[in-house]
Amino acid sequence: EVQLVESGGGLVQPGGSLRLSCAASGFNFTNYWMSWVRQAPGKGLEWVANIKQDGSEKYYVDSVKGRFTISRDNARNSLYLQMNSLRAEDTAGYYCARGLRWLGTDYWGQGTLVTVSS
Amino acid sequence: DIQMTQSPSSLSASVGDRVTITCRASQGIRNYLDWFQQKPGKAPKSLIYAASSLQSGVPSKFSGSGSGTDFTLTINNLQPEDFATYYCQQYKTYPQTFGQGTKVEI
């Protein structure tokens, strides 16, 4: 069974940092692109970042470029999102998701909540 | 960036109805489009990829069509468990972008 389990969310002050993790199991992690998608309270979905199977390509939404870094550890079947210089507008549930570049997204984790507030 | 516009933003329907949701891209995206279902407090669930292909395990009451800029998601024989918010997402070009969502209510 495919499982994606996020962790690392919490309350952080503006300007602070947080590192999200996503533990993958039940499939060959190295075969898939991985993504982070977020959802602000009461709002729609927003794609945040993607990373290729071998980590050689990474893409970000403009609003997080230079502040967030997506990475993966294929030996640990884990995906990460390092979030620096956090802002109130980064407050959201963050989901990790699995997919293929030209076949879209097929599985989602349950999400972890990040709250940026003083 | 490619803008994805869904219509309607919300709709009311009854059990047994057939529902159609439209998603329009601001430029051509071939068939690089996903549809997702999200229930309150839950993670999104993948329904359709490549505009018209059903994800494994998704019932055939869901169907997708379209190519280029105009796409539709159709739900036949609406059941109580289908009342949710539905999102389209294009993945042809970065940044990958979502529609604003369509809430299907009783």
Side-chain angles (χ1 to χ4, degrees), chain A residues 33-38 46-52 55-72 79-84 90 94 101, chain B residues 1 89-90 93-97:
Chain A
W33 283 73
M34 297 298 296
S35 303
W36 288 100
V37 174
R38 68 184 178 183
E46 180 183 37
W47 171 82
V48 174
N50 271 18
I51 185 168
K52 195 177 179 180
S56 62
E57 295 181 33
K58 303 176 184 181
Y59 300 91
Y60 301 90
V61 68
D62 281 352
S63 59
V64 309
K65 281 180 184 175
R67 300 188 301 123
F68 290 11
T69 302
I70 189 171
S71 63
R72 63 192 295 163
L79 174 73
Y80 305 102
L81 186 68
Q82 178 66 44
M83 303 186 295
N84 298 330
D90 297 317
Y94 283 75
R101 178 61 184 94
Chain B
D1 298 1
Q89 184 200 22
Q90 67 82 17
T93 306
Y94 289 108
Q96 297 180 348
T97 43

Side-chain angles (χ1 to χ4, degrees), chain A residues 87-98:
Chain A
R87 306 167 180 168
E89 54 264 37
D90 297 317
T91 294
Y94 283 75
Y95 297 99
C96 80
R98 176 190 100 160

